[in-house]
Amino acid sequence: MDRTAAWAALGPHADRLKAASLRELFAADGGRFDDFSASLDDLTADFSKEKLDRPALDALLALARACGVEARRDAMAAGEAVNLTEGRPALHMALRGSVAPDVPGVADVAATRERFLAFAEAVRSGAYAAAAGPFTDVVNIGIGGSDLGPAMAARALAPYADGPRAHFVSNVDGAHFADVARGLDPRRTLVIVASKTFTTLETMMNARTARAWLAEAVGDAAGAQMAAVSTNIAGCAAFGIEPERVFGFWDWVGGRYSLWGAIGLPVAIAVGATRFREMLDGAAAMDRHFLSAPLAENLPVLLALVGVWRRDAMGWPTVALIPYDQRLDRFPAYVQQLDMESNGKRVTRGGAPVAQATGPVIWGEPGTNAQHSFFQLLHQGTDVIPTDFILAAAAPAGGEHHVALAANCLAQSAALAFGLTEAEVRAEMAGRDPAEIDRLAPHRTFPGDRPSTTILQRRLDPFALGRLIALFEHKVFVQAALWDVNPFDQWGVELGKAMAKRLTPAVESGDGSGFDASTAGLVARLAALRGGA
Ligand code: F6P
């Protein structure tokens, strides 16, 4: 079967399942949990609460075969130039040792890793220190992939952090650096400038501000309190960062896939080289699974198929990502970049308009907080919003808190799936005034039939975090293969950057002539308000 036929074959299954409720699917098959879940060691993905049945899943697996998912995966691992528009491979798996050492370009990965981990250990031990003493704090200056990964991981691994405190500044809004710097001692703070290109406007502006902040306190010694992570070694030198504190990586690592190398430096400083390596080991375990498990048991493949089922067969445009783990509070933001910058694409690898709707809108907040903000809409709004739950069986702050957390997570997925019928609502209110029951019943009825997938693992330790991130990376890759888009470029961010450059003198001068009427009007209004202030 070819790709077009395999996509078309989903249609009848979707029609059948749109008409079937999750209540009915569960009533018809008591073994759904076993049939529609898959595991790798202690990690289980339960997608039994998705609106799928066996024939539909078989059709999705046929789609994966028709789209050559395995061949695409193997091409990536073999170092082929899968990033077609930029003519380079995507070898982030090499950063965790999952790519054969003879693949061109990866030979110096291990040595580079040892170098930045040795620096992390030197900062931790005080062997590399500021003149005023060992570093107490590290400020990472970066944005996008040079921020979201390490910021998310440092937060997730907070229970393992026993080194200098890690802080993150990304926004060009001066408030970000100012708020982070407030309360830090510039004489004991290490600043890492993290930028693949070392040209990103936000990062370079914040880096200059940080350098001035250090210099005000320590004068010429400021340079010794700065390090850089970049593929642009010449750019780092021009900025004045000594080569021994510049940690390189390679153009074959996409920004949003770069946490595993020196971009992870602030995490390594916070938790230490041993924990950092455990995170890499977790990712490598998922790589091995992705590279070898049959499609029908392959977690990233299955989650990707669930994703395209939701997006294309069912037509649901967004996904709520809800970690029931406070320390994963930056995980939705991280996955937003990973997924939406990778698969927010409108043309195929060959440049033709893509035939299906591609990347969904990803959004979310940790549970249980989310229950008290937007879950009302998930339960009773007019749109179906499929939800991904993430839960650990054990947590450092365990006890009754964790039992309550877990119970709430399972409760939400069950409530979304099965709802509460009007008859059940009426039965609950039995004995009350019949007019009152009539009035309230529609409001208190839950339609249910709202799908979710739950990812459950033992605990959120460095190994499990690495495994979880790699699961999402590979899921995004498989979806790109199904849609036939290139997940490794991001041309869509360029226009705004160029426009901002053009607009800078207009905003400075207050003269927006030459721009469209709306922009010119806003420039004038901005200038008037600034003048007034
Ligand atoms: O916003 C686009 C982008 O290129 C991202 O892909 C990237 O992660 C981010 O900017 C930061 O880029 P750099 O690491 O080169 O500063």
Side-chain angles (χ1 to χ4, degrees):
M1 195 177 352
D2 71 5
R3 166 187 288 278
T4 311
W7 272 109
L10 297 183
H13 298 290
D15 292 343
R16 180 180 70 259
L17 285 154
K18 277 176 191 164
S21 71
L22 283 168
R23 278 192 185 224
E24 288 161 354
L25 293 175
F26 272 82
D29 176 9
R32 270 187 80 79
F33 178 80
D34 293 330
D35 293 348
F36 298 96
S37 65
S39 298
L40 170 60
D41 301 325
D42 61 287
L43 185 150
T44 294
D46 167 30
F47 51 99
S48 61
K49 294 194 190 89
E50 299 290 339
K51 291 200 47 163
L52 276 171
D53 60 9
R54 177 45 58 188
L57 187 55
D58 287 344
L60 285 165
L61 288 164
L63 175 70
R65 282 189 291 274
C67 294
V69 164
E70 287 164 304
R72 289 275 172 89
R73 173 198 68 189
D74 297 345
M76 173 170 68
E80 287 180 27
V82 292
N83 179 355
L84 291 175
T85 59
E86 295 174 317
R88 54 199 187 204
L91 282 168
H92 44 283
M93 280 196 290
L95 302 177
R96 51 239 191 184
S98 302
V99 162
D102 58 346
V103 166
V106 306
D108 49 347
V109 165
T112 306
R113 183 192 307 131
E114 294 315 312
R115 214 181 132 240
F116 82 77
L117 289 181
F119 179 68
E121 285 300 330
V123 170
R124 285 165 60 79
S125 68
Y128 187 76
F135 291 107
T136 54
D137 296 88
V138 174
V139 176
N140 187 80
I141 294 184
I143 197 164
S146 301
D147 166 72
L148 288 161
M152 174 275 292
R155 176 92 181 104
L157 299 182
Y160 302 89
D162 54 5
R165 291 175 294 260
H167 311 269
F168 295 86
V169 173
S170 51
N171 201 328
V172 75
D173 183 343
H176 202 174
F177 181 80
D179 288 353
V180 168
R182 191 175 308 122
L184 299 186
D185 180 354
R187 296 168 311 132
R188 301 281 294 274
T189 299
L190 177 73
V191 171
I192 300 171
V193 185
S195 174
K196 180 175 174 182
T197 55
F198 224 72
T199 57
T200 304
L201 173 119
E202 294 92 329
T203 299
M204 299 323 297
M205 197 174 276
N206 279 325
R208 289 191 294 273
T209 301
R211 185 172 56 189
W213 175 73
L214 291 176
E216 203 183 329
V218 301
D220 287 346
Q225 291 184 217
M226 296 192 84
V229 180
S230 185
T231 59
N232 179 357
I233 306 300
C236 298
F239 190 84
I241 299 180
E242 293 296 327
E244 67 260 27
R245 285 186 308 285
V246 174
F247 302 94
F249 58 115
W250 304 269
D251 69 354
W252 45 255
V253 187
R256 52 194 174 275
Y257 302 89
S258 62
L259 164 68
W260 317 103
I263 288 290
L265 179 60
V267 183
I269 293 174
V271 304
T274 302
R275 297 301 194 186
F276 192 85
R277 287 183 211 276
E278 288 168 9
M279 185 176 80
L280 300 186
D281 290 346
M286 183 56 73
D287 294 340
R288 280 193 298 280
H289 169 80
F290 177 53
L291 292 169
S292 64
L295 292 180
E297 294 160 30
N298 196 308
L299 281 161
V301 172
L302 289 167
L303 291 188
L305 292 173
V306 166
V308 301
W309 177 256
R310 293 163 165 180
R311 181 76 178 106
D312 299 302
M314 293 292 169
W316 299 320
T318 89
V319 173
L321 176 56
I322 315 293
Y324 272 68
D325 190 324
Q326 186 58 29
R327 294 198 175 104
L328 283 178
D329 59 351
R330 295 295 288 155
F331 196 69
Y334 171 78
V335 175
Q336 273 176 337
Q337 188 201 12
L338 174 64
D339 201 318
M340 295 166 76
E341 202 171 67
S342 297
N343 284 340
K345 304 288 162 67
R346 51 179 283 281
V347 295
T348 64
R349 294 184 318 144
V354 74
Q356 294 80 26
T358 59
V361 176
I362 313 278
W363 56 284
E365 279 286 321
T368 59
N369 290 14
Q371 293 172 209
H372 300 273
S373 59
F374 53 77
F375 266 55
Q376 164 64 38
L377 187 146
L378 300 194
H379 285 290
Q380 289 188 318
T382 49
D383 288 302
V384 172
I385 296 174
T387 304
D388 287 337
F389 293 100
I390 298 174
L391 178 66
E400 61 173 359
H401 285 267
H402 195 71
V403 171
L405 185 75
N408 270 277
C409 180
L410 303 191
Q412 290 300 323
S413 69
L416 285 164
F418 306 119
L420 199 62
T421 64
E422 187 170 333
E424 288 166 339
V425 169
R426 286 177 180 279
E428 268 185 1
M429 290 194 289
R432 288 167 71 166
D433 171 17
E436 174 84 345
I437 293 176
D438 284 348
R439 193 171 66 79
L440 289 179
H443 298 278
R444 295 179 61 156
T445 297
F446 287 67
D449 215 23
R450 302 192 171 206
S452 67
T453 290
T454 299
I455 297 170
L456 176 64
Q457 54 186 349
R458 185 177 295 119
R459 70 172 67 81
L460 186 69
D461 56 21
F463 182 93
L465 178 68
R467 189 177 57 181
L468 182 72
I469 300 168
L471 170 63
F472 277 78
E473 281 183 351
H474 294 322
K475 170 196 153 172
V476 166
F477 176 80
V478 172
Q479 291 190 325
L482 298 172
W483 289 317
D484 195 26
V485 300
N486 175 10
F488 298 117
D489 61 11
Q490 58 283 320
W491 300 103
V493 303
E494 296 304 327
L495 178 59
K497 287 184 190 173
M499 295 275 272
K501 243 187 213 147
R502 277 183 56 215
L503 263 161
T504 301
V507 168
E508 255 163 9
S509 67
D511 177 8
S513 52
F515 290 93
D516 64 89
S518 165
T519 305
L522 288 167
V523 165
R525 190 89 187 108
L526 192 62
L529 290 170
R530 249 194 338 228

